[in-house]
Amino acid sequence: MTGSTLSGGHSDPARGVPPSPPGETAPASRSSFPPKDRDAAGAPSSPSGSSPSGPQAPGAPRVLTRRDWIGFFAMVVGMFMAILDIQIVASSLGEIQAGLSASADEISWVQTSYLIAEVVMIPLSGMLSRILSTRVLFAAAAAGFTLTSVACAFAGGIESMIVWRALQGFIGGAMIPTVFATSFALFPGKRQAGISVMIGLVATMAPTIGPTLGGWLTQTFSWHWLFLANVIPGVIVTSLVWTLVDVDKPNRALLKGFDILGLLLMAAFLGSLEFVVEEGPRQDWFDDEAVFAFAIVATLAGIGFFWRVLTYRNPIVELRAFLNRNFAIGSLYSFIIGVGLYGAVYLQPLFLARVRGYNSLQIGTVMFVTGIFQFLSAPLAGMLSKKLDLRIMLAMGLMLFGAGVWLNSFLTAQSSFWELFLPQAVRGVSLMFCFIPVNAIALGTLPPDQIKNASGLYNLMRNLGGAIGLAVINTVMTERLALHMNRLGDNLNLARPEVQSMLDGLTTSFDGRVADAEAAALRVMAGLVQREATVMTFNDCLLIMAFVFFGALLFMPLLRRPSHGVKADH
């Protein structure tokens, strides 16, 4: 990567690291970590360049130590915290609203502020990791995330909560793409399959168990523990990363000519875009003045941002990674997976709450099936990633996810745990079959100097997929609910004998129990129409999502088979 050392300047065929040009000396490792008497691989060096165990071949991969493994695992835990925090808070917004005496419009900003700030940091993390080094950036992000979690727990009102949540999202957003970049920089191709399984489990399991954990913490303790639960793991992660991680060295020279204008344009573009897709469905899109104004800001800032990054000599985000066909299509698949991952986790709990009347803990119990099957399928997915063409494996994952969502689109007002078991099991298996190959396809074919920056863009696409997908889902739900209500209402005609018979039966059952038995019977019938229209609306959304995943298979022939990454272990 630009200004950083990932393999000590040696060639690494497993990761596609080119050898240093003749006569050119590879950059030295960071002066303070590791010590001067150790080489870039972390092994003791001697004046002759040999180690006690003998000279290291020029093309040999980095020798991993226990410190590397523990440090990287700590980074994965930090990423898990950052991803989990979105869903764990979303499951208990009602309790937070009551605790802070906030209105319905105000409480939505607890999530919106976090997501807006996070989406700005994710692409920025590539530049910051080159300037500060992976160790410093991640340790600072983990420490800041922990401190802002404490501040959120003790927020005195909705205004301070929104401020702290924005800071928490901005600081914590650096952890997610940094882990992806480090996995390709630190581990040779033969270990990439196992690392991809671990990262895939974490990145997909966190949204799945979030409602369960959030519901349990809120009902067992209080909503404050949604944030306080981050403190102990946050301190441990910060300490381990600061002490053990040694991936690259800082390149302070990048501060010279730092693109402040590009940063401001990117923040305005992504922040405004996130606001529009978050608030648009709730505020009837462009009929709302604020949404319309931010849409204009997003458009103008987006034009300025792309002009800036394409013309400035040291852009805040380098877009050249999109010239790599696999990265471009892999990012598109990351966007689609974000739609499915966050869309399914949003729709199913919403159905269980609105139609079935489940509380957060009951919802979490039902949703946990997906997490169990993710975990059980991980070893199989890891093994197949070494045996199969990754394009075939990704196609299998997309088909399985589409099939799982399609099976889920036959909901009724009585659907409960066992009716939802098979769709969730299929979807849980599919997530690992999607996540492992798409990571290797998108990032595994890039040269090392582009991975840090590309990792931020890749993760940004998944987040945008989730945000835009949820906006579309909410818009579709509003329109389809109105459509189904009208159609069912038209059929609920008292001229029809079946309708009149049902009304008479309900009126008789209420007779003597309420003042106006017929009005009570009509309210019950209206409630049934509302319930059935809601169920039909959920089925429509799930069916659309299934078609998106089946349609994504059309891009599969455009992918090239990765020549390294996971495939290196074949």
Side-chain angles (χ1 to χ4, degrees), residues 116-133 137 169-171 173-175 177-178 254-255 258-267 270 305 309 314-319 452-460:
I116 289 175
E118 183 188 50
V119 84
V120 173
M121 170 54 84
I122 286 176
L124 180 61
S125 62
M127 174 66 77
L128 291 180
S129 65
R130 296 199 297 267
I131 294 174
L132 301 174
S133 80
L137 175 64
F170 183 77
I171 297 171
M175 292 192 281
T178 305
L254 292 174
L255 286 171
F258 184 80
D259 190 9
I260 297 177
L261 177 59
L263 173 61
L264 295 175
L265 288 170
M266 182 180 72
L270 293 177
F305 168 69
V309 298
N314 185 25
I316 195 73
V317 175
E318 179 58 73
L319 299 181
K452 281 188 179 181
N453 176 77
S455 176
L457 295 172
Y458 172 75
N459 282 275
L460 173 65

Side-chain angles (χ1 to χ4, degrees), residues 200-223:
L201 265 177
V202 168
T204 56
M205 186 79 76
T208 304
I209 69 171
T212 308
L213 184 57
W216 180 80
L217 285 172
T218 302
Q219 294 193 10
T220 305
F221 303 105
S222 70
W223 65 264

Side-chain angles (χ1 to χ4, degrees), residues 344 348 370 396-411 419-431 542-543 545-546 549-550:
Q348 191 146 295
T370 303
M396 291 169 57
L398 293 171
M399 286 189 290
L400 282 172
F401 196 101
V405 178
W406 178 76
L407 289 171
N408 220 354
S409 68
F410 296 95
L411 295 170
E419 289 80 10
L420 298 172
F421 184 89
L422 179 60
Q424 287 198 100
V426 173
R427 198 170 73 245
V429 172
S430 72
L431 284 170
L542 290 165
L543 198 58
M545 196 185 302
F549 273 79
F550 291 140

